[in-house]
Amino acid sequence: MKNFKAMLKAPVALAATCALALGLTACGGAPATEGTGSAAGSATTDQATGSLTMTDGTITFATSPDYPPFENLEDGEYVGLDMDLGRAIAEELGLECEYTNIDFDGIIPAIVAGGQADAGLSGISITPEREDQVDFSEPYYVDNQAVAVMADNADITEDNAAEALNQEGVKIAVQSGSTGESFAAENFPNAELVSFPNFTDAFAAVNSGQAVAVCGNSAVVSQMLSGAYTDLHTVYTSATGEEYAIAVSKDNPELLAKINDAIANLQEDGTLDELIAKNMG
């Protein structure tokens, strides 16, 4: 996506320095992560910055790696825009980057509860409901909603999708806790929603006949259609203009500020545009 900064909210001011010293506070056990394993340590706080991470020298992001091109697992490696962004932010902060797997609908509760991750980075759209629970970084990507059906489905087409999807007996597969779930519930109230913890399972449900359609963010739907699900096609899109951002505990404003500084730097030097171009085609 070219000139993406113009689409975002005004970024926070750039950090005065990139040499950031983050302290740590113990938050519980060590989840399965990418990179070197971490265990909870004794709680200390950097007196100069007040910044907090679970483990000294490491920032841990919670993610649900089933949402390409944002996050996915390929041969045991975390790939995608969010995964590259997390590593770039960690580098800006002088930290190691780790990921821990959590079902998408459990990421926000995990950040609120603490102990599993420092922040949530998993194609998370900013919504008022989520803002009640966590704080969000400056946004780094804007996306819309899309609905796909089997390509040989003659009953639901681009011409009649808005009406045809909103019928009793129509099952729409969604990811639990996602904005796709909320969008489908609001726009197709007569349909039956079938929720899955993973977005790939929602697509598989359409492929296997368990659902008629699948609803989710446009970039992910497009990626799925160009990969494992070429037998489906998009019949409906909506310009919802959802902003993706990183979720941080409301109890950790210092870390949020550091993440915002890092995002601002990555926008300013063109790294974010490069990562978007690399991962979004």
Side-chain angles (χ1 to χ4, degrees):
M1 181 178 298
K2 302 299 182 182
N3 299 318
F4 178 69
K5 286 199 294 177
M7 301 174 61
L8 299 176
K9 299 176 182 177
V12 296
L14 295 181
T17 176
C18 294
L20 302 174
L22 294 183
L24 66 101
T25 184
C27 296
T33 59
E34 174 191 65
T36 57
S38 63
S42 57
T44 62
T45 302
D46 186 307
Q47 298 302 314
T49 65
S51 299
L52 304 173
T53 58
M54 289 189 341
T55 305
D56 190 20
T58 299
I59 184 168
T60 302
F61 294 105
T63 191
S64 179
D66 52 27
Y67 210 62
F70 297 97
E71 45 268 339
N72 202 15
L73 272 174
E74 293 182 1
D75 299 324
E77 180 183 359
Y78 290 83
V79 298
L81 173 58
D82 288 352
M83 307 294 89
D84 286 346
L85 177 60
R87 296 183 188 102
I89 288 172
E91 184 175 353
E92 283 284 317
L93 302 182
L95 299 172
E96 294 295 320
C97 179
E98 290 191 353
Y99 295 104
T100 185
N101 295 359
I102 299 177
D103 284 345
F104 184 79
D105 60 0
I107 291 177
I108 296 296
I111 298 305
V112 172
Q116 292 181 268
D118 298 304
L121 179 56
S122 193
I124 305 172
S125 302
I126 300 173
T127 68
E129 295 77 16
R130 290 170 181 167
E131 285 183 307
D132 285 342
Q133 302 177 70
V134 296
D135 286 334
F136 281 102
S137 71
E138 289 295 315
Y140 59 86
Y141 192 82
V142 175
D143 206 354
N144 301 307
Q145 286 289 323
V147 180
V149 302
M150 295 298 294
D152 61 3
N153 187 335
D155 296 327
I156 302 178
T157 68
E158 292 183 23
D159 293 333
N160 72 0
E163 180 180 356
L165 289 165
N166 190 30
Q167 302 292 327
E168 291 186 6
V170 173
K171 293 184 177 181
I172 302 177
V174 295
Q175 184 175 34
S176 179
S178 69
T179 52
E181 182 178 48
S182 301
F183 178 85
E186 179 179 350
N187 290 274
F188 313 116
N190 294 321
E192 177 185 348
L193 301 190
V194 185
S195 299
F196 296 89
N198 300 320
F199 198 49
T200 49
D201 292 341
F203 263 86
V206 178
N207 226 19
S208 65
Q210 299 177 61
V212 173
V214 57
C215 180
N217 286 116
S218 295
V220 185
V221 170
S222 296
Q223 181 78 7
M224 293 288 194
L225 297 184
S226 65
Y229 298 97
T230 56
D231 290 340
L232 281 73
H233 71 153
T234 300
V235 293
Y236 185 89
T237 58
S238 179
T240 53
E242 297 173 30
E243 294 177 320
Y244 288 6
I246 300 171
V248 181
S249 170
K250 288 182 177 293
D251 294 330
N252 204 348
E254 296 89 351
L255 180 61
L256 178 67
K258 298 300 183 184
I259 289 174
N260 276 334
D261 287 344
I263 292 173
N265 289 340
L266 296 171
Q267 289 173 342
E268 184 68 20
D269 67 12
T271 298
L272 182 56
D273 283 341
E274 292 175 1
L275 295 181
I276 290 172
K278 168 191 171 184
N279 289 283
M280 311 308 289

